[in-house]
Amino acid sequence: MNPFSSGTRLRDMIRAIRACKTAAEERAVVRKECAAIRAAINENDQDYRHRNLAKLMFIHMLGYPTHFGQMECLKLIASSGFPEKRIGYLGLMLLLDERQEVLMLVTNSLKQDLNHSNQYIVGLALCALGNICSAEMARDLAPEVERLLQFRDPNIRKKAALCSIRIIKKVPELAENFINPAAALLKEKHHGVLITGVQLCTDLCKVSEDALEYFRKKCTEGLVKTLKDVVNSPYAPEYDIAGITDPFLHIRLLKLLRELGQGDADASECMNDILAQVATKTESNKNAGNAILYECVETIMSIEDNGGLRVLAINILGRFLSNRDNNIRYVALNMLMKAITVDAQAVQRHRATILECVKDSDASIRKRALELVYVLVNESNVKPLTKELIDYLEVSDEEFKGDLTAKICSIVAKFSPEKIWYIDQMLKVLSEAGNFVKDEVWHAVIVVISNASDLHGYTVRALYRALQLSTEQESLVRVAIWCIGEYGDLLVNNVGMIDVEDPITVTESDAVDVIEIAIKHHTSDLTTKAMAMVALLKLSSRFPSCSERIKDIVVQYKGSLVLELQQRSIEMNSIIAKHQNIRSTLVERMPVLDEATFIGKRAGSIQATVSPSAGASINLPNGVAKPTAAPLVDLLDLGSDDVPAPSSSGGDLLHDLLGVDLSTASTQSGVNHAPKNGTNVLLDLLSIGSPTQSGQSVSDMLSSSQDNKTPVSPLEGLSSPSSNSIQPTSSAGAAPVIDLLDGFSSNPPKQENNGTAYPSVVAFESGNLKMVFNFSKLPGNPQTTVIEATFTNLSTNVYSDFIFQAAVPKFLQLHLDPASGNTLPASGNGSITQTLRVTNSQHGKKSLVMRIRIAYKMNNKDVLEEGQISNFPRGL
């Protein structure tokens, strides 16, 4: 016989497929067999139709397409014999689902078989309908299924009940038709019919309020009696599992009672006694008993309040936590998470057992137990719970330390009774798992330390001791060097001693040693080294005897390949070497940081400063750029929008922070300066911030102009770092050039435009906008170039809120005058002009280069255009 003819037996095909050594061979066998089946279908081969369908079902289970055999199922179902119908219905359930349109053709056959005189054929039809019933089929066949709920044979009643569950899920409005037949099933003695009847009632309660009320009034007492009979029934071999009579029926009855008791005090009162009996009499040494107990606990926690029962239920969960089976412990932890909202005090009694679960070897149990402990913490137990968690932190697995550290930090921050306890616990966490602590956590520690003025000495000494034991925890090192930089004199002089600490002897050299070790340690990252350099600068003022040594350490990074460290080294070396008169004022202790504001910002209640580089909406007057958010700005709260504008008398932010009176320059020159951007000046001076990409220093900012106000930001560091001069100007006339460190230089020459000596350049052009540069030179000053920028709108829409910004490398200095307006007419019917002055310190060696950003609104939508200009004429 041809091994691939339609007469091939199913077992032969299975044997041929299993003999295949590769997937390609298997596909070849299946392809040939499918071809033979197709040929038999085309020839209407009735002798082997059932065999072909059986083979198709096996092929379908292997994952190959078998849609071409769907009609064969319908033909077999329509046949009169039981064997053919059996294969047909099995194929129908496997090869089709309720989404197939072919299924509509089988409705009539199902209706006939549901009314068949042979109960086995009726059973086949019910089984198929219960598996693939669609909403349309449910509406058509519901009367037949409802009738079969009273059929004489218990197996048919059982299958009809299961089929009814499918029907009411598909068409909930049919639920009312099944209420009375379902209630009748609850009186069945046959456990198979009873368990399906209970499940049908449970689903009816979920989809119909009428059914729920009916069962509460009519069936609650009967269900309680049924459960009592099952609990107290003698040994029955046909239902016994591990010494418990029909645990499946136990669980189904408890689930139905839970539905009936939820939200109804009378029904809950009726079932209290039987629930207590189940909870106390069920043995927990077998899995079947544990399943019943778990369902009983869930029912007790769901029905209306009964304090004694709930304590009993929570005690059962406490016993589950001591079980050796991981699954039982896990479900107990899950249930306790729900129970804590109902009776937290009862859950608290099992705190010690829950803490032991945090130390479990199973990762899922550890994580769930940690979440439960976190919920259990309150003001009264925070100290012992935190101690237990920190003790476990020392020996916990590396992969669990991240979650554990986050929870401990959150608990300490939320429930800390006093600041000294907070500081002690956070130091322990930083010492044990500082590398797992997130940045906002150690930021918060610094804020709390800053606010605890009476604990500054204690904290800096505790951090010094901790740093002697561990220098591998990055967050600990950062907090320690910050505190030593701020409060190093308290460390050396043992100021602020409290009773609980022992005095230590630390010299000025020892304090510098700690910072030097941190900055030179191979594991220290850029942030740590940058913080260490700032700490050294502060110690150079607090410890004059170590000033030269600190200078030698700082100078070592003058040639660093990391631009951030190189710039800090150069600027700080300049401060230490040349500017003794302002150094002590410059490195005074940080002002007390606003703890409430910091917490609010962490919670997202205070909006962070929006950076123009993010392409965000810029609702500012023309020429004024909102400063980029920086760590120092955030730390000092200089970046919020509600900062009052500095007065015109010279009292700007730099004056306020450093105590340096810069107003004398204006007085001497007879010119009133526009307010300067003190935040940017301070950032440039101290280079506080994080490294940026493309070789830019942290002091990179965009220069911009504003009517009557022209702040000039520090220039971009595209070349080697150098000292930046800030050139504040006003519309009243020329202003002096101020060097923050070296005082005042002479006034720059007054601008005199002798005409354009260079060709005009189309500096930027897009589909909407054109910008032209015209150039001229100041007499006797070839380094300075005056650029007149003309902006033309090429589109048919008016541009409003027009802002032009520019940035240049550090060898250039850029000043922008106010723009002629902030509205650009459409279609070239007008223009905006703005004057730029660029001073090239490398004149003759390097050409001008500039990056620009233009922001405006078109049809109330923000538009941002950017570009780089390098096509400047030679000689500029």
Side-chain angles (χ1 to χ4, degrees):
M1 181 182 293
N2 182 353
F4 297 110
S5 70
S6 61
T8 307
R9 292 180 301 179
L10 175 62
R11 70 181 65 178
D12 294 330
M13 186 195 74
I14 295 174
R15 190 177 291 118
I17 290 174
R18 288 181 175 176
C20 297
K21 296 181 179 179
T22 63
E25 289 182 23
E26 180 185 297
R27 287 194 296 270
V29 171
V30 172
R31 194 162 48 245
K32 290 178 182 178
E33 188 63 48
C34 288
I37 294 172
R38 281 196 187 93
I41 292 173
N42 292 334
E43 296 170 3
N44 198 20
D45 185 356
Q46 298 183 10
D47 296 334
Y48 296 107
R49 180 172 285 156
H50 64 285
R51 181 182 291 178
N52 289 338
L53 187 56
K55 289 190 285 187
L56 275 179
M57 285 188 279
F58 184 79
I59 292 170
H60 172 79
M61 288 188 287
L62 292 177
Y64 296 96
T66 55
H67 55 277
F68 58 87
Q70 291 175 351
M71 292 303 297
E72 295 298 289
C73 299
L74 275 61
K75 292 176 183 178
L76 285 172
I77 290 171
S79 61
S80 58
F82 175 77
E84 289 80 8
K85 282 183 178 290
R86 184 175 61 177
I87 293 293
Y89 277 120
L90 184 58
L92 184 74
M93 290 184 283
L94 278 177
L95 305 184
L96 284 83
D97 57 48
E98 61 182 275
R99 298 185 298 273
Q100 301 286 343
E101 294 183 2
V102 179
L103 206 59
M104 297 173 60
L105 303 176
V106 82
T107 304
N108 192 49
S109 296
L110 280 168
K111 190 166 188 175
Q112 291 177 2
D113 289 341
L114 288 173
N115 293 300
H116 203 282
S117 58
N118 187 335
Q119 68 183 42
Y120 298 107
I121 291 178
V122 175
L124 287 176
L126 285 171
C127 191
L129 187 62
N131 277 281
I132 61 167
C133 175
S134 63
E136 292 79 9
M137 293 174 69
R139 291 188 181 93
D140 293 338
L141 301 176
E144 278 72 21
V145 176
E146 182 185 346
R147 178 182 56 80
L148 290 171
L149 287 171
Q150 285 98 29
F151 197 78
R152 64 184 183 280
D153 186 73
N155 287 322
I156 298 300
R157 294 201 300 274
K158 180 176 69 175
K159 292 183 179 182
L162 293 172
C163 192
S164 301
I165 294 171
R166 173 88 178 194
I167 289 172
I168 63 172
K169 286 182 177 178
K170 290 294 176 184
V171 189
E173 56 266 26
L174 294 176
E176 61 183 18
N177 300 334
F178 292 91
I179 294 176
N180 289 323
L185 293 177
L186 297 179
K187 300 175 183 177
E188 286 279 349
K189 299 299 181 184
H190 189 282
H191 281 208
V193 180
L194 181 57
I195 199 170
T196 54
V198 170
Q199 185 61 44
L200 175 58
C201 292
T202 304
D203 287 301
L204 282 169
C205 292
K206 291 178 180 177
V207 299
S208 170
E209 284 294 326
D210 293 339
L212 180 59
E213 289 302 321
Y214 178 86
F215 291 133
R216 274 177 181 164
K217 292 178 181 178
K218 304 287 185 180
C219 304
T220 303
E221 291 183 359
L223 287 168
V224 170
K225 183 179 182 302
T226 302
L227 181 57
K228 188 176 294 186
D229 292 341
V230 174
V231 170
N232 297 320
S233 65
Y235 174 73
E238 64 270 29
Y239 301 125
D240 184 82
I241 296 177
I244 297 173
T245 302
D246 205 344
F248 299 103
L249 183 57
H250 270 89
I251 290 169
R252 294 297 179 187
L253 286 167
L254 287 168
K255 284 186 175 180
L256 180 53
L257 288 174
R258 181 162 73 244
E259 291 292 332
L260 299 178
Q262 197 166 5
D264 189 282
D266 293 336
S268 300
E269 180 68 26
C270 182
M271 61 186 74
N272 280 343
D273 291 342
I274 186 59
L275 291 175
Q277 189 176 348
V278 171
T280 53
K281 288 189 66 175
T282 306
E283 296 182 8
S284 59
N285 55 351
K286 299 290 184 181
N287 206 41
N290 287 327
I292 294 172
L293 285 173
Y294 176 79
E295 205 63 49
C296 183
V297 168
E298 194 159 6
T299 302
I300 291 170
M301 302 307 296
S302 299
I303 65 173
E304 291 308 294
D305 186 36
N306 186 304
L309 268 183
R310 285 183 174 167
V311 171
L312 177 61
I314 292 172
N315 289 340
I316 291 172
L317 294 177
R319 291 206 312 268
F320 280 1
L321 292 178
S322 303
N323 199 297
R324 288 179 296 177
D325 190 298
N326 287 347
N327 293 325
I328 293 175
R329 277 184 291 167
Y330 186 82
V331 296
L333 290 169
N334 269 339
M335 182 57 66
L336 285 170
M337 284 289 287
K338 300 176 186 176
I340 198 168
T341 59
V342 178
D343 193 343
Q345 194 59 41
V347 180
Q348 289 280 2
R349 297 192 190 101
H350 303 281
R351 195 171 64 210
T353 312
I354 296 168
L355 271 171
E356 287 302 313
C357 291
V358 174
K359 306 171 186 178
D360 196 87
S361 58
D362 186 278
S364 300
I365 292 176
R366 282 202 308 261
K367 192 168 184 179
R368 182 61 69 190
L370 182 60
E371 292 171 359
L372 182 54
V373 169
Y374 182 74
V375 179
L376 282 174
V377 177
N378 54 39
E379 289 81 358
S380 61
N381 62 23
V382 61
K383 289 188 176 181
L385 279 178
T386 304
K387 181 181 183 303
E388 291 283 348
L389 292 176
I390 291 177
D391 289 345
Y392 177 60
L393 183 62
E394 300 177 11
V395 295
S396 63
D397 298 337
E398 290 295 312
E399 62 270 13
F400 188 54
K401 279 190 175 179
D403 289 337
L404 185 55
T405 302
K407 293 295 185 186
I408 294 173
C409 294
S410 181
I411 289 169
V412 172
K414 189 175 180 181
F415 298 104
S416 171
E418 52 191 353
K419 287 186 176 178
I420 187 171
W421 183 83
Y422 172 91
I423 292 170
D424 286 341
Q425 305 312 308
M426 292 308 299
L427 289 189
K428 291 177 183 177
V429 173
L430 293 174
S431 300
E432 293 297 334
N435 292 333
F436 297 91
V437 170
K438 295 181 180 178
D439 285 349
E440 57 264 26
V441 173
W442 65 265
H443 292 171
V445 174
I446 288 179
V447 172
V448 173
I449 292 171
S450 170
N451 280 269
S453 56
D454 54 334
L455 297 174
H456 287 167
Y458 169 76
T459 303
V460 71
R461 285 187 290 275
L463 282 164
Y464 179 83
R465 291 189 187 96
L467 213 55
Q468 301 301 308
L469 301 175
S470 173
T471 57
E472 302 298 325
Q473 305 297 337
E474 200 75 36
S475 297
L476 173 68
V477 175
R478 290 174 184 173
V479 176
I481 61 179
W482 186 89
C483 286
I484 292 172
E486 292 294 321
Y487 315 119
D489 51 335
L490 305 183
L491 172 66
V492 171
N493 300 323
N494 274 330
V495 176
M497 292 286 295
I498 62 177
D499 297 337
V500 297
E501 64 172 326
D502 298 324
I504 58 173
T505 303
V506 182
T507 64
E508 295 179 353
S509 180
D510 292 337
V512 176
D513 286 341
V514 170
I515 307 297
E516 184 178 11
I517 291 171
I519 200 172
K520 292 182 177 180
H521 200 277
H522 67 282
T523 61
S524 297
D525 63 6
L526 178 58
T527 302
T528 305
K529 292 182 178 180
M531 292 178 68
M533 293 191 77
V534 175
L536 286 172
L537 176 64
K538 294 194 172 191
L539 291 182
S540 70
S541 175
R542 291 160 176 55
F543 304 153
S545 61
C546 297
S547 183
E548 284 302 317
R549 180 188 169 193
I550 291 173
K551 180 182 175 183
D552 293 339
I553 298 172
V554 170
V555 167
Q556 295 175 21
Y557 294 90
K558 206 169 183 179
S560 173
L561 296 177
V562 181
L563 185 60
E564 175 76 12
L565 297 180
Q566 183 190 108
Q567 181 176 345
R568 285 174 186 262
S569 175
I570 293 171
E571 293 176 353
M572 293 178 183
N573 183 56
S574 177
I575 293 171
I576 295 171
K578 301 179 183 178
H579 304 283
Q580 302 289 339
N581 55 335
I582 68 167
R583 182 176 61 179
S584 59
T585 307
L586 182 65
V587 297
E588 282 182 350
R589 282 184 190 151
M590 289 281 288
V592 175
L593 304 171
D594 188 351
E595 195 169 354
T597 303
F598 177 80
I599 294 171
K601 286 185 177 181
R602 285 186 64 188
S605 60
I606 299 178
Q607 295 296 323
T609 303
V610 180
S611 170
S613 62
S617 173
I618 305 172
N619 297 317
L620 291 172
N622 187 31
V624 176
K626 198 170 185 181
T628 306
L632 182 66
V633 180
D634 188 64
L635 199 58
L636 298 182
D637 199 21
L638 299 178
S640 59
D641 293 333
D642 56 356
V643 176
S647 65
S648 59
S649 62
D652 61 4
L653 292 175
L654 184 64
H655 177 194
D656 294 338
L657 280 172
L658 305 184
V660 180
D661 189 0
L662 300 179
S663 60
T664 55
S666 300
T667 306
Q668 291 171 1
S669 61
V671 178
N672 290 326
H673 288 283
K676 296 176 288 300
N677 191 337
T679 303
N680 292 351
V681 173
L682 188 61
L683 284 171
D684 185 58
L685 185 63
L686 299 183
S687 299
I688 301 295
S690 58
T692 56
Q693 298 176 354
S694 306
Q696 301 174 13
S697 73
V698 182
S699 60
D700 294 351
M701 290 288 185
L702 292 172
S703 300
S704 58
S705 67
Q706 177 188 9
D707 294 341
N708 301 324
K709 294 181 181 180
T710 314
V712 181
S713 304
L715 305 177
E716 285 196 88
L718 299 180
S719 65
S720 61
S722 61
S723 299
N724 295 330
S725 296
I726 310 301
Q727 296 181 341
T729 65
S730 72
S731 57
V737 178
I738 303 175
D739 188 317
L740 282 175
L741 302 181
D742 292 327
F744 296 93
S745 67
S746 59
N747 288 345
K750 186 177 179 181
Q751 176 179 337
E752 295 180 6
N753 193 350
N754 292 333
T756 302
Y758 298 91
S760 299
V761 171
V762 178
F764 177 82
E765 185 170 12
S766 66
N768 301 323
L769 188 67
K770 181 178 180 180
M771 179 176 67
V772 178
F773 279 177
N774 294 308
F775 306 95
S776 61
K777 286 284 189 180
L778 294 175
N781 189 357
Q783 293 183 338
T784 301
T785 303
V786 179
I787 304 174
E788 183 178 284
T790 304
F791 305 92
T792 307
N793 183 353
L794 304 178
S795 73
T796 57
N797 300 300
V798 176
Y799 296 164
S800 60
D801 295 344
F802 187 89
I803 298 174
F804 170 69
Q805 299 172 313
V808 294
K810 284 221 167 179
F811 68 88
L812 300 174
Q813 289 182 354
L814 172 66
H815 168 72
L816 290 91
D817 285 344
S820 60
N822 63 357
T823 301
L824 194 55
S827 305
N829 293 326
S831 61
I832 292 177
T833 59
Q834 190 164 0
T835 302
L836 300 80
R837 280 179 292 167
V838 183
T839 301
N840 187 353
S841 62
Q842 303 287 331
H843 180 67
K845 299 179 182 178
K846 294 185 179 181
S847 302
L848 299 187
V849 64
M850 183 182 299
R851 276 185 287 180
I852 62 162
R853 177 180 293 149
I854 303 171
Y856 54 87
K857 282 189 175 180
M858 181 175 66
N859 297 329
N860 290 325
K861 292 184 178 180
D862 293 317
V863 180
L864 187 67
E865 301 195 38
E866 296 179 332
Q868 180 162 329
I869 306 172
S870 56
N871 59 335
F872 289 93
R874 290 182 175 275
L876 296 180

